[in-house]
PDB file of all heavy atoms in Angstrom:
ATOM      1  N   GLY A 756      33.292  63.334  93.696  1.00  0.00           N
ATOM      2  CA  GLY A 756      33.153  64.690  94.160  1.00  0.00           C
ATOM      3  C   GLY A 756      34.297  65.221  94.983  1.00  0.00           C
ATOM      4  O   GLY A 756      34.149  66.103  95.818  1.00  0.00           O
ATOM      5  N   LYS A 757      35.481  64.665  94.776  1.00  0.00           N
ATOM      6  CA  LYS A 757      36.593  65.071  95.607  1.00  0.00           C
ATOM      7  C   LYS A 757      37.557  66.047  94.909  1.00  0.00           C
ATOM      8  O   LYS A 757      38.592  66.410  95.468  1.00  0.00           O
ATOM      9  CB  LYS A 757      37.393  63.839  96.034  1.00  0.00           C
ATOM     10  CG  LYS A 757      36.561  62.955  96.949  1.00  0.00           C
ATOM     11  CD  LYS A 757      37.325  61.779  97.496  1.00  0.00           C
ATOM     12  CE  LYS A 757      36.410  60.910  98.346  1.00  0.00           C
ATOM     13  NZ  LYS A 757      36.877  59.548  98.440  1.00  0.00           N
ATOM     14  N   ALA A 758      37.214  66.476  93.691  1.00  0.00           N
ATOM     15  CA  ALA A 758      38.096  67.440  93.002  1.00  0.00           C
ATOM     16  C   ALA A 758      37.742  68.838  93.345  1.00  0.00           C
ATOM     17  O   ALA A 758      36.554  69.160  93.532  1.00  0.00           O
ATOM     18  CB  ALA A 758      38.041  67.203  91.510  1.00  0.00           C
ATOM     19  N   PRO A 759      38.724  69.733  93.472  1.00  0.00           N
ATOM     20  CA  PRO A 759      38.441  71.135  93.821  1.00  0.00           C
ATOM     21  C   PRO A 759      38.060  71.947  92.582  1.00  0.00           C
ATOM     22  O   PRO A 759      38.095  71.462  91.460  1.00  0.00           O
ATOM     23  CB  PRO A 759      39.780  71.599  94.386  1.00  0.00           C
ATOM     24  CG  PRO A 759      40.783  70.786  93.605  1.00  0.00           C
ATOM     25  CD  PRO A 759      40.152  69.462  93.326  1.00  0.00           C
ATOM     26  N   GLY A 760      37.683  73.191  92.857  1.00  0.00           N
ATOM     27  CA  GLY A 760      37.582  74.209  91.820  1.00  0.00           C
ATOM     28  C   GLY A 760      36.528  73.920  90.781  1.00  0.00           C
ATOM     29  O   GLY A 760      35.576  73.161  90.989  1.00  0.00           O
ATOM     30  N   GLU A 761      36.735  74.523  89.587  1.00  0.00           N
ATOM     31  CA  GLU A 761      35.740  74.354  88.513  1.00  0.00           C
ATOM     32  C   GLU A 761      35.701  72.904  88.055  1.00  0.00           C
ATOM     33  O   GLU A 761      34.659  72.385  87.673  1.00  0.00           O
ATOM     34  CB  GLU A 761      36.056  75.295  87.321  1.00  0.00           C
ATOM     35  CG  GLU A 761      34.886  75.243  86.344  1.00  0.00           C
ATOM     36  CD  GLU A 761      35.121  75.962  85.024  1.00  0.00           C
ATOM     37  OE1 GLU A 761      36.082  76.711  84.893  1.00  0.00           O
ATOM     38  OE2 GLU A 761      34.292  75.728  84.104  1.00  0.00           O
ATOM     39  N   LEU A 762      36.887  72.252  88.083  1.00  0.00           N
ATOM     40  CA  LEU A 762      36.899  70.840  87.704  1.00  0.00           C
ATOM     41  C   LEU A 762      35.942  70.038  88.557  1.00  0.00           C
ATOM     42  O   LEU A 762      35.184  69.191  88.040  1.00  0.00           O
ATOM     43  CB  LEU A 762      38.348  70.306  87.825  1.00  0.00           C
ATOM     44  CG  LEU A 762      38.552  68.824  87.542  1.00  0.00           C
ATOM     45  CD1 LEU A 762      38.128  68.465  86.127  1.00  0.00           C
ATOM     46  CD2 LEU A 762      40.017  68.415  87.783  1.00  0.00           C
ATOM     47  N   GLY A 763      36.008  70.305  89.847  1.00  0.00           N
ATOM     48  CA  GLY A 763      35.092  69.618  90.788  1.00  0.00           C
ATOM     49  C   GLY A 763      33.638  69.897  90.450  1.00  0.00           C
ATOM     50  O   GLY A 763      32.786  68.999  90.456  1.00  0.00           O
ATOM     51  N   GLU A 764      33.336  71.178  90.125  1.00  0.00           N
ATOM     52  CA  GLU A 764      31.948  71.531  89.775  1.00  0.00           C
ATOM     53  C   GLU A 764      31.482  70.779  88.532  1.00  0.00           C
ATOM     54  O   GLU A 764      30.350  70.273  88.470  1.00  0.00           O
ATOM     55  CB  GLU A 764      31.855  73.054  89.524  1.00  0.00           C
ATOM     56  CG  GLU A 764      32.014  73.885  90.779  1.00  0.00           C
ATOM     57  CD  GLU A 764      31.098  73.419  91.907  1.00  0.00           C
ATOM     58  OE1 GLU A 764      29.881  73.204  91.642  1.00  0.00           O
ATOM     59  OE2 GLU A 764      31.563  73.188  93.046  1.00  0.00           O
ATOM     60  N   ARG A 765      32.360  70.745  87.539  1.00  0.00           N
ATOM     61  CA  ARG A 765      31.998  70.053  86.302  1.00  0.00           C
ATOM     62  C   ARG A 765      31.801  68.547  86.535  1.00  0.00           C
ATOM     63  O   ARG A 765      30.928  67.916  85.965  1.00  0.00           O
ATOM     64  CB  ARG A 765      33.051  70.285  85.202  1.00  0.00           C
ATOM     65  CG  ARG A 765      33.228  71.736  84.830  1.00  0.00           C
ATOM     66  CD  ARG A 765      31.989  72.282  84.114  1.00  0.00           C
ATOM     67  NE  ARG A 765      32.160  73.717  83.866  1.00  0.00           N
ATOM     68  CZ  ARG A 765      31.230  74.498  83.333  1.00  0.00           C
ATOM     69  NH1 ARG A 765      30.039  74.007  83.063  1.00  0.00           N
ATOM     70  NH2 ARG A 765      31.476  75.770  83.126  1.00  0.00           N
ATOM     71  N   ALA A 766      32.691  68.004  87.377  1.00  0.00           N
ATOM     72  CA  ALA A 766      32.571  66.576  87.696  1.00  0.00           C
ATOM     73  C   ALA A 766      31.210  66.302  88.373  1.00  0.00           C
ATOM     74  O   ALA A 766      30.576  65.294  88.124  1.00  0.00           O
ATOM     75  CB  ALA A 766      33.743  66.146  88.573  1.00  0.00           C
ATOM     76  N   LYS A 767      30.790  67.227  89.230  1.00  0.00           N
ATOM     77  CA  LYS A 767      29.483  67.058  89.893  1.00  0.00           C
ATOM     78  C   LYS A 767      28.353  67.100  88.850  1.00  0.00           C
ATOM     79  O   LYS A 767      27.381  66.327  88.955  1.00  0.00           O
ATOM     80  CB  LYS A 767      29.270  68.158  90.940  1.00  0.00           C
ATOM     81  CG  LYS A 767      30.054  67.831  92.236  1.00  0.00           C
ATOM     82  CD  LYS A 767      29.909  68.930  93.275  1.00  0.00           C
ATOM     83  CE  LYS A 767      30.933  68.693  94.378  1.00  0.00           C
ATOM     84  NZ  LYS A 767      31.452  69.928  94.934  1.00  0.00           N
ATOM     85  N   ALA A 768      28.508  67.938  87.836  1.00  0.00           N
ATOM     86  CA  ALA A 768      27.497  67.987  86.788  1.00  0.00           C
ATOM     87  C   ALA A 768      27.444  66.664  86.043  1.00  0.00           C
ATOM     88  O   ALA A 768      26.353  66.221  85.645  1.00  0.00           O
ATOM     89  CB  ALA A 768      27.806  69.141  85.809  1.00  0.00           C
ATOM     90  N   VAL A 769      28.594  66.028  85.882  1.00  0.00           N
ATOM     91  CA  VAL A 769      28.618  64.708  85.246  1.00  0.00           C
ATOM     92  C   VAL A 769      27.855  63.715  86.121  1.00  0.00           C
ATOM     93  O   VAL A 769      27.016  62.965  85.639  1.00  0.00           O
ATOM     94  CB  VAL A 769      30.089  64.229  85.029  1.00  0.00           C
ATOM     95  CG1 VAL A 769      30.121  62.763  84.640  1.00  0.00           C
ATOM     96  CG2 VAL A 769      30.773  65.093  83.999  1.00  0.00           C
TER      97      VAL A 769
END
Side-chain angles (χ1 to χ4, degrees):
K757 294 184 182 156
E761 190 188 348
L762 176 60
E764 290 309 312
R765 298 293 176 184
K767 281 177 194 147
V769 168

